[in-house]
Amino acid sequence: MHGIQNALLEVENLRKEFPIERGLLRKEKGKVQALSGVSFEIQEGEIIGLVGESGCGKTTLAKLILRLLFPNGGEIRYQGKDLLTLEGKELKAFRREIQMVFQDPFGSLNPRMKIKEIVGEPLLIHGIGSSKERHRKVIDLLESVGLQELHAGRYPHEFSGGERQRIGIARSLALSPRLLVLDEPVSSLDLSIQAQILRLLLSLKKERNLTYLFISHDLRVVSKMSDRVLVMYLGKIVESGTTTEIFEKPEHPYTRALLASQPQTIKEKGFKGIPKGEIPSPANPPSGCRYRTRCPHAEKKCAEEEPLLLERTPGHFVACHFEL
């Protein structure tokens, strides 16, 4: 899956486990395998969609890329530099390059701070500009996301959900990053507001030459936003390819099941095989193929041997023993 030249971000064989602790002494009783060997690249200027059910590891992956968590194994490289070795001033400098827009536009904003303080805080932390210059930059950022100077002195509770998400986007742009990690940025918004925020994100990408990792469970949104799509199931990428390939010619049973769960797709494509039952616990994932316990095509081999993520056609990778 590697070999893309000049990738902005490279993730290779990334693993993350969380201990399960019980009792007064907090003894470790097991591990949750949040990520198990995840690899992909993002080229500059791309929008990569990351999809999968809740609990599959999408947000954990985002936090690892941002160095909010540390992995148990694997590599993360930004412009060829190993992010896992950065400390002190180097780590602080890296944080200017990659920023995050959170799912909850209210929970991610400090209710005690005015908007000018929220948006200007990254500039203050990194010692950028004078007080006057920072104020001007904050106003420019607010205007770039469709807000006005009069909004700067207000508090988060005075804004609607869509406006709060615009504030969150303005804050994420304060340090002029190159890569934005968008974690379900419109899932809590009404459909009409979703469309406005998505148009804003596309406009900002073009104006500022941004790169996006767009995390969502909403396939409709991902199909409109992304250049390429990664499909994740229980801590592993099971299929990746261009948006057209994933939505027009999906080859993994799980990808087809996700598409089948969209009412318009059942009618248009005729995909079948909506997953049976619940997603297994990442503390005790199935042997072999992790999707086999819900897959209508599973055979004995699926329980005994884990399928590799292999390139079936140029740029289209699938982790399945069978060609369906």
Side-chain angles (χ1 to χ4, degrees), residues 162-208:
E163 288 170 332
R164 287 195 289 260
Q165 195 59 296
R166 289 174 187 268
I167 294 163
I169 293 168
R171 177 180 58 186
S172 74
L173 296 174
L175 299 174
S176 302
R178 294 174 68 179
L179 172 63
L180 284 190
V181 178
L182 307 163
D183 188 10
E184 302 272 11
V186 296
S187 64
S188 63
L189 305 175
D190 294 339
L191 283 177
S192 60
I193 306 301
Q194 282 188 17
Q196 293 175 21
I197 297 299
L198 294 175
R199 283 196 297 270
L200 172 64
L201 288 170
L202 289 173
S203 173
L204 289 168
K205 177 191 178 299
K206 189 174 180 180
E207 290 170 11
R208 296 169 178 262

Tab-separated table of all heavy atoms in Angstrom, residues 162-208:
chain	number	residue	atom	x	y	z
A	162	GLY	N	-24.322	25.366	14.250
A	162	GLY	CA	-23.559	25.622	13.034
A	162	GLY	C	-22.545	26.743	13.221
A	162	GLY	O	-21.409	26.666	12.738
A	163	GLU	N	-22.954	27.790	13.932
A	163	GLU	CA	-22.042	28.910	14.193
A	163	GLU	C	-20.896	28.477	15.096
A	163	GLU	O	-19.747	28.885	14.893
A	163	GLU	CB	-22.818	30.070	14.828
A	163	GLU	CG	-23.752	30.784	13.864
A	163	GLU	CD	-24.680	31.766	14.552
A	163	GLU	OE1	-25.001	31.557	15.747
A	163	GLU	OE2	-25.094	32.735	13.901
A	164	ARG	N	-21.200	27.636	16.076
A	164	ARG	CA	-20.146	27.145	16.957
A	164	ARG	C	-19.137	26.293	16.189
A	164	ARG	O	-17.936	26.344	16.462
A	164	ARG	CB	-20.749	26.349	18.123
A	164	ARG	CG	-21.430	27.232	19.155
A	164	ARG	CD	-21.686	26.496	20.459
A	164	ARG	NE	-22.736	25.498	20.343
A	164	ARG	CZ	-23.991	25.688	20.737
A	164	ARG	NH1	-24.379	26.845	21.235
A	164	ARG	NH2	-24.881	24.721	20.618
A	165	GLN	N	-19.635	25.516	15.227
A	165	GLN	CA	-18.693	24.730	14.435
A	165	GLN	C	-17.821	25.634	13.558
A	165	GLN	O	-16.642	25.354	13.343
A	165	GLN	CB	-19.433	23.691	13.581
A	165	GLN	CG	-18.540	22.596	13.007
A	165	GLN	CD	-17.800	21.800	14.069
A	165	GLN	OE1	-16.965	22.324	14.794
A	165	GLN	NE2	-18.117	20.510	14.164
A	166	ARG	N	-18.378	26.736	13.082
A	166	ARG	CA	-17.576	27.713	12.334
A	166	ARG	C	-16.470	28.290	13.221
A	166	ARG	O	-15.344	28.506	12.767
A	166	ARG	CB	-18.470	28.841	11.801
A	166	ARG	CG	-19.395	28.414	10.666
A	166	ARG	CD	-20.350	29.547	10.286
A	166	ARG	NE	-21.345	29.084	9.328
A	166	ARG	CZ	-21.205	29.157	7.993
A	166	ARG	NH1	-20.109	29.693	7.477
A	166	ARG	NH2	-22.158	28.724	7.198
A	167	ILE	N	-16.808	28.528	14.490
A	167	ILE	CA	-15.808	29.031	15.438
A	167	ILE	C	-14.701	27.992	15.628
A	167	ILE	O	-13.510	28.315	15.645
A	167	ILE	CB	-16.470	29.381	16.790
A	167	ILE	CG1	-17.424	30.561	16.611
A	167	ILE	CG2	-15.411	29.701	17.854
A	167	ILE	CD1	-18.415	30.734	17.756
A	168	GLY	N	-15.106	26.725	15.770
A	168	GLY	CA	-14.124	25.644	15.905
A	168	GLY	C	-13.209	25.552	14.697
A	168	GLY	O	-11.999	25.309	14.833
A	169	ILE	N	-13.764	25.740	13.506
A	169	ILE	CA	-12.956	25.710	12.278
A	169	ILE	C	-11.995	26.895	12.256
A	169	ILE	O	-10.814	26.752	11.910
A	169	ILE	CB	-13.873	25.710	11.038
A	169	ILE	CG1	-14.672	24.400	10.969
A	169	ILE	CG2	-13.064	25.906	9.758
A	169	ILE	CD1	-15.806	24.393	9.963
A	170	ALA	N	-12.490	28.076	12.650
A	170	ALA	CA	-11.622	29.273	12.695
A	170	ALA	C	-10.449	29.031	13.635
A	170	ALA	O	-9.296	29.366	13.321
A	170	ALA	CB	-12.433	30.484	13.139
A	171	ARG	N	-10.724	28.458	14.797
A	171	ARG	CA	-9.643	28.169	15.757
A	171	ARG	C	-8.628	27.201	15.159
A	171	ARG	O	-7.415	27.370	15.323
A	171	ARG	CB	-10.228	27.585	17.036
A	171	ARG	CG	-9.181	27.180	18.067
A	171	ARG	CD	-9.799	26.605	19.323
A	171	ARG	NE	-10.622	25.444	19.043
A	171	ARG	CZ	-11.369	24.825	19.954
A	171	ARG	NH1	-11.399	25.284	21.193
A	171	ARG	NH2	-12.094	23.770	19.635
A	172	SER	N	-9.116	26.184	14.442
A	172	SER	CA	-8.202	25.191	13.869
A	172	SER	C	-7.300	25.786	12.789
A	172	SER	O	-6.231	25.255	12.499
A	172	SER	CB	-9.001	24.015	13.282
A	172	SER	OG	-9.639	24.388	12.067
A	173	LEU	N	-7.732	26.903	12.189
A	173	LEU	CA	-6.952	27.533	11.120
A	173	LEU	C	-5.990	28.601	11.639
A	173	LEU	O	-5.188	29.133	10.861
A	173	LEU	CB	-7.900	28.174	10.103
A	173	LEU	CG	-8.822	27.228	9.331
A	173	LEU	CD1	-9.803	28.025	8.487
A	173	LEU	CD2	-8.011	26.276	8.458
A	174	ALA	N	-6.047	28.916	12.929
A	174	ALA	CA	-5.283	30.033	13.485
A	174	ALA	C	-3.788	29.919	13.221
A	174	ALA	O	-3.110	30.930	12.972
A	174	ALA	CB	-5.556	30.159	14.981
A	175	LEU	N	-3.244	28.714	13.272
A	175	LEU	CA	-1.799	28.522	13.113
A	175	LEU	C	-1.397	28.194	11.683
A	175	LEU	O	-0.273	27.769	11.425
A	175	LEU	CB	-1.327	27.404	14.054
A	175	LEU	CG	-1.549	27.667	15.545
A	175	LEU	CD1	-1.195	26.445	16.367
A	175	LEU	CD2	-0.747	28.877	16.002
A	176	SER	N	-2.329	28.382	10.739
A	176	SER	CA	-2.089	28.096	9.310
A	176	SER	C	-1.592	26.671	9.084
A	176	SER	O	-0.521	26.449	8.501
A	176	SER	CB	-1.091	29.103	8.729
A	176	SER	OG	-1.566	30.411	8.878
A	177	PRO	N	-2.347	25.664	9.546
A	177	PRO	CA	-1.918	24.268	9.377
A	177	PRO	C	-2.008	23.833	7.920
A	177	PRO	O	-2.657	24.483	7.094
A	177	PRO	CB	-2.932	23.506	10.226
A	177	PRO	CG	-4.176	24.342	10.147
A	177	PRO	CD	-3.686	25.759	10.145
A	178	ARG	N	-1.363	22.706	7.636
A	178	ARG	CA	-1.440	22.128	6.287
A	178	ARG	C	-2.432	20.967	6.241
A	178	ARG	O	-2.982	20.665	5.189
A	178	ARG	CB	-0.057	21.656	5.843
A	178	ARG	CG	0.916	22.805	5.666
A	178	ARG	CD	2.319	22.328	5.359
A	178	ARG	NE	2.416	21.695	4.055
A	178	ARG	CZ	3.542	21.209	3.547
A	178	ARG	NH1	4.655	21.289	4.260
A	178	ARG	NH2	3.562	20.651	2.362
A	179	LEU	N	-2.614	20.295	7.389
A	179	LEU	CA	-3.512	19.146	7.448
A	179	LEU	C	-4.536	19.350	8.558
A	179	LEU	O	-4.170	19.670	9.690
A	179	LEU	CB	-2.694	17.867	7.716
A	179	LEU	CG	-3.481	16.572	8.001
A	179	LEU	CD1	-4.316	16.166	6.798
A	179	LEU	CD2	-2.521	15.441	8.380
A	180	LEU	N	-5.818	19.179	8.223
A	180	LEU	CA	-6.884	19.217	9.224
A	180	LEU	C	-7.465	17.813	9.377
A	180	LEU	O	-7.798	17.157	8.384
A	180	LEU	CB	-8.008	20.166	8.807
A	180	LEU	CG	-7.808	21.677	8.934
A	180	LEU	CD1	-9.124	22.399	8.694
A	180	LEU	CD2	-7.235	22.063	10.289
A	181	VAL	N	-7.578	17.372	10.621
A	181	VAL	CA	-8.272	16.128	10.937
A	181	VAL	C	-9.683	16.512	11.363
A	181	VAL	O	-9.881	17.176	12.377
A	181	VAL	CB	-7.553	15.356	12.064
A	181	VAL	CG1	-8.328	14.094	12.409
A	181	VAL	CG2	-6.127	15.017	11.643
A	182	LEU	N	-10.660	16.129	10.566
A	182	LEU	CA	-12.060	16.502	10.792
A	182	LEU	C	-12.793	15.281	11.338
A	182	LEU	O	-13.099	14.341	10.609
A	182	LEU	CB	-12.692	16.966	9.480
A	182	LEU	CG	-11.942	18.074	8.729
A	182	LEU	CD1	-12.399	18.163	7.286
A	182	LEU	CD2	-12.127	19.409	9.421
A	183	ASP	N	-13.058	15.287	12.638
A	183	ASP	CA	-13.674	14.126	13.293
A	183	ASP	C	-15.183	14.321	13.387
A	183	ASP	O	-15.678	14.988	14.283
A	183	ASP	CB	-13.059	13.927	14.678
A	183	ASP	CG	-13.514	12.627	15.330
A	183	ASP	OD1	-14.146	11.798	14.637
A	183	ASP	OD2	-13.249	12.437	16.532
A	184	GLU	N	-15.922	13.726	12.457
A	184	GLU	CA	-17.388	13.841	12.410
A	184	GLU	C	-17.808	15.315	12.528
A	184	GLU	O	-18.623	15.665	13.398
A	184	GLU	CB	-18.028	13.023	13.544
A	184	GLU	CG	-17.680	11.545	13.534
A	184	GLU	CD	-18.631	10.720	12.689
A	184	GLU	OE1	-19.439	11.315	11.947
A	184	GLU	OE2	-18.550	9.487	12.758
A	185	PRO	N	-17.295	16.200	11.677
A	185	PRO	CA	-17.491	17.640	11.893
A	185	PRO	C	-18.921	18.134	11.679
A	185	PRO	O	-19.229	19.256	12.095
A	185	PRO	CB	-16.548	18.279	10.866
A	185	PRO	CG	-16.465	17.267	9.768
A	185	PRO	CD	-16.510	15.938	10.458
A	186	VAL	N	-19.784	17.334	11.045
A	186	VAL	CA	-21.153	17.806	10.800
A	186	VAL	C	-22.217	16.858	11.348
A	186	VAL	O	-23.412	17.092	11.155
A	186	VAL	CB	-21.405	18.036	9.287
A	186	VAL	CG1	-20.516	19.137	8.745
A	186	VAL	CG2	-21.213	16.751	8.485
A	187	SER	N	-21.803	15.806	12.062
A	187	SER	CA	-22.771	14.773	12.466
A	187	SER	C	-23.819	15.275	13.454
A	187	SER	O	-24.910	14.718	13.540
A	187	SER	CB	-22.034	13.569	13.050
A	187	SER	OG	-21.356	13.931	14.231
A	188	SER	N	-23.497	16.321	14.216
A	188	SER	CA	-24.449	16.809	15.222
A	188	SER	C	-25.303	17.969	14.705
A	188	SER	O	-26.068	18.565	15.463
A	188	SER	CB	-23.687	17.267	16.476
A	188	SER	OG	-22.833	18.353	16.164
A	189	LEU	N	-25.197	18.272	13.412
A	189	LEU	CA	-25.888	19.428	12.841
A	189	LEU	C	-27.069	19.012	11.971
A	189	LEU	O	-27.096	17.906	11.418
A	189	LEU	CB	-24.907	20.258	11.995
A	189	LEU	CG	-23.627	20.717	12.703
A	189	LEU	CD1	-22.710	21.417	11.710
A	189	LEU	CD2	-23.938	21.620	13.882
A	190	ASP	N	-28.054	19.907	11.827
A	190	ASP	CA	-29.178	19.676	10.922
A	190	ASP	C	-28.672	19.569	9.481
A	190	ASP	O	-27.632	20.137	9.134
A	190	ASP	CB	-30.182	20.831	11.009
A	190	ASP	CG	-30.862	20.894	12.372
A	190	ASP	OD1	-30.867	19.871	13.067
A	190	ASP	OD2	-31.370	21.970	12.730
A	191	LEU	N	-29.440	18.891	8.643
A	191	LEU	CA	-29.003	18.646	7.270
A	191	LEU	C	-28.680	19.932	6.513
A	191	LEU	O	-27.683	20.010	5.798
A	191	LEU	CB	-30.065	17.846	6.507
A	191	LEU	CG	-30.129	16.340	6.809
A	191	LEU	CD1	-31.269	15.697	6.045
A	191	LEU	CD2	-28.809	15.664	6.456
A	192	SER	N	-29.530	20.943	6.649
A	192	SER	CA	-29.299	22.197	5.909
A	192	SER	C	-28.015	22.879	6.383
A	192	SER	O	-27.272	23.452	5.586
A	192	SER	CB	-30.484	23.149	6.081
A	192	SER	OG	-30.673	23.471	7.453
A	193	ILE	N	-27.738	22.792	7.688
A	193	ILE	CA	-26.517	23.385	8.243
A	193	ILE	C	-25.307	22.547	7.840
A	193	ILE	O	-24.223	23.079	7.567
A	193	ILE	CB	-26.602	23.506	9.776
A	193	ILE	CG1	-27.876	24.262	10.184
A	193	ILE	CG2	-25.378	24.207	10.332
A	193	ILE	CD1	-27.968	25.666	9.615
A	194	GLN	N	-25.472	21.226	7.798
A	194	GLN	CA	-24.394	20.348	7.332
A	194	GLN	C	-23.884	20.794	5.973
A	194	GLN	O	-22.677	20.909	5.751
A	194	GLN	CB	-24.888	18.901	7.224
A	194	GLN	CG	-24.988	18.158	8.533
A	194	GLN	CD	-25.299	16.686	8.326
A	194	GLN	OE1	-25.138	16.147	7.219
A	194	GLN	NE2	-25.740	16.015	9.376
A	195	ALA	N	-24.818	21.042	5.058
A	195	ALA	CA	-24.449	21.434	3.694
A	195	ALA	C	-23.639	22.732	3.698
A	195	ALA	O	-22.655	22.870	2.961
A	195	ALA	CB	-25.702	21.589	2.838
A	196	GLN	N	-24.031	23.676	4.534
A	196	GLN	CA	-23.303	24.947	4.624
A	196	GLN	C	-21.872	24.736	5.119
A	196	GLN	O	-20.928	25.312	4.579
A	196	GLN	CB	-24.036	25.908	5.566
A	196	GLN	CG	-25.383	26.385	5.059
A	196	GLN	CD	-26.096	27.236	6.096
A	196	GLN	OE1	-25.477	27.795	7.008
A	196	GLN	NE2	-27.412	27.338	5.986
A	197	ILE	N	-21.712	23.920	6.158
A	197	ILE	CA	-20.383	23.679	6.731
A	197	ILE	C	-19.506	22.915	5.737
A	197	ILE	O	-18.307	23.198	5.594
A	197	ILE	CB	-20.492	22.907	8.065
A	197	ILE	CG1	-21.257	23.729	9.108
A	197	ILE	CG2	-19.114	22.526	8.583
A	197	ILE	CD1	-20.612	25.053	9.478
A	198	LEU	N	-20.078	21.952	5.023
A	198	LEU	CA	-19.308	21.196	4.034
A	198	LEU	C	-18.837	22.101	2.893
A	198	LEU	O	-17.693	22.001	2.435
A	198	LEU	CB	-20.138	20.030	3.486
A	198	LEU	CG	-20.475	18.929	4.497
A	198	LEU	CD1	-21.405	17.899	3.876
A	198	LEU	CD2	-19.207	18.253	5.028
A	199	ARG	N	-19.717	22.997	2.453
A	199	ARG	CA	-19.315	23.957	1.407
A	199	ARG	C	-18.198	24.864	1.913
A	199	ARG	O	-17.257	25.185	1.183
A	199	ARG	CB	-20.522	24.782	0.942
A	199	ARG	CG	-21.461	24.050	-0.001
A	199	ARG	CD	-22.396	25.003	-0.724
A	199	ARG	NE	-23.282	25.708	0.188
A	199	ARG	CZ	-24.481	25.264	0.549
A	199	ARG	NH1	-24.926	24.095	0.080
A	199	ARG	NH2	-25.247	25.968	1.368
A	200	LEU	N	-18.300	25.283	3.177
A	200	LEU	CA	-17.262	26.123	3.777
A	200	LEU	C	-15.929	25.377	3.799
A	200	LEU	O	-14.885	25.950	3.444
A	200	LEU	CB	-17.676	26.518	5.198
A	200	LEU	CG	-16.603	27.238	6.034
A	200	LEU	CD1	-16.257	28.587	5.410
A	200	LEU	CD2	-17.068	27.412	7.482
A	201	LEU	N	-15.946	24.113	4.209
A	201	LEU	CA	-14.714	23.331	4.283
A	201	LEU	C	-14.065	23.168	2.908
A	201	LEU	O	-12.840	23.274	2.770
A	201	LEU	CB	-15.002	21.957	4.890
A	201	LEU	CG	-15.307	21.947	6.391
A	201	LEU	CD1	-15.820	20.577	6.834
A	201	LEU	CD2	-14.073	22.326	7.211
A	202	LEU	N	-14.884	22.943	1.890
A	202	LEU	CA	-14.344	22.815	0.529
A	202	LEU	C	-13.767	24.139	0.039
A	202	LEU	O	-12.720	24.175	-0.611
A	202	LEU	CB	-15.436	22.316	-0.425
A	202	LEU	CG	-15.861	20.854	-0.239
A	202	LEU	CD1	-17.073	20.526	-1.116
A	202	LEU	CD2	-14.708	19.907	-0.561
A	203	SER	N	-14.437	25.232	0.374
A	203	SER	CA	-13.961	26.562	-0.018
A	203	SER	C	-12.632	26.883	0.672
A	203	SER	O	-11.687	27.369	0.035
A	203	SER	CB	-15.015	27.608	0.337
A	203	SER	OG	-14.527	28.914	0.111
A	204	LEU	N	-12.539	26.596	1.971
A	204	LEU	CA	-11.309	26.868	2.718
A	204	LEU	C	-10.155	26.002	2.218
A	204	LEU	O	-9.004	26.451	2.153
A	204	LEU	CB	-11.534	26.614	4.208
A	204	LEU	CG	-12.437	27.624	4.931
A	204	LEU	CD1	-12.815	27.103	6.309
A	204	LEU	CD2	-11.759	28.988	5.037
A	205	LYS	N	-10.459	24.766	1.850
A	205	LYS	CA	-9.429	23.873	1.327
A	205	LYS	C	-8.792	24.466	0.078
A	205	LYS	O	-7.560	24.464	-0.083
A	205	LYS	CB	-10.031	22.509	1.009
A	205	LYS	CG	-9.031	21.541	0.399
A	205	LYS	CD	-9.695	20.308	-0.145
A	205	LYS	CE	-8.670	19.388	-0.790
A	205	LYS	NZ	-7.961	19.990	-1.929
A	206	LYS	N	-9.648	24.981	-0.801
A	206	LYS	CA	-9.155	25.554	-2.054
A	206	LYS	C	-8.362	26.836	-1.803
A	206	LYS	O	-7.281	27.037	-2.363
A	206	LYS	CB	-10.353	25.835	-2.971
A	206	LYS	CG	-9.972	26.238	-4.379
A	206	LYS	CD	-11.208	26.357	-5.256
A	206	LYS	CE	-10.827	26.758	-6.667
A	206	LYS	NZ	-12.023	26.892	-7.542
A	207	GLU	N	-8.895	27.692	-0.939
A	207	GLU	CA	-8.245	28.982	-0.668
A	207	GLU	C	-6.899	28.815	0.025
A	207	GLU	O	-5.947	29.562	-0.252
A	207	GLU	CB	-9.147	29.841	0.235
A	207	GLU	CG	-10.404	30.366	-0.433
A	207	GLU	CD	-11.352	30.991	0.589
A	207	GLU	OE1	-10.930	31.203	1.749
A	207	GLU	OE2	-12.512	31.251	0.224
A	208	ARG	N	-6.811	27.846	0.931
A	208	ARG	CA	-5.626	27.716	1.780
A	208	ARG	C	-4.769	26.502	1.442
A	208	ARG	O	-3.824	26.191	2.174
A	208	ARG	CB	-6.064	27.651	3.251
A	208	ARG	CG	-6.743	28.937	3.729
A	208	ARG	CD	-7.405	28.773	5.072
A	208	ARG	NE	-8.010	30.016	5.523
A	208	ARG	CZ	-7.445	30.870	6.389
A	208	ARG	NH1	-6.261	30.594	6.899
A	208	ARG	NH2	-8.070	31.972	6.741
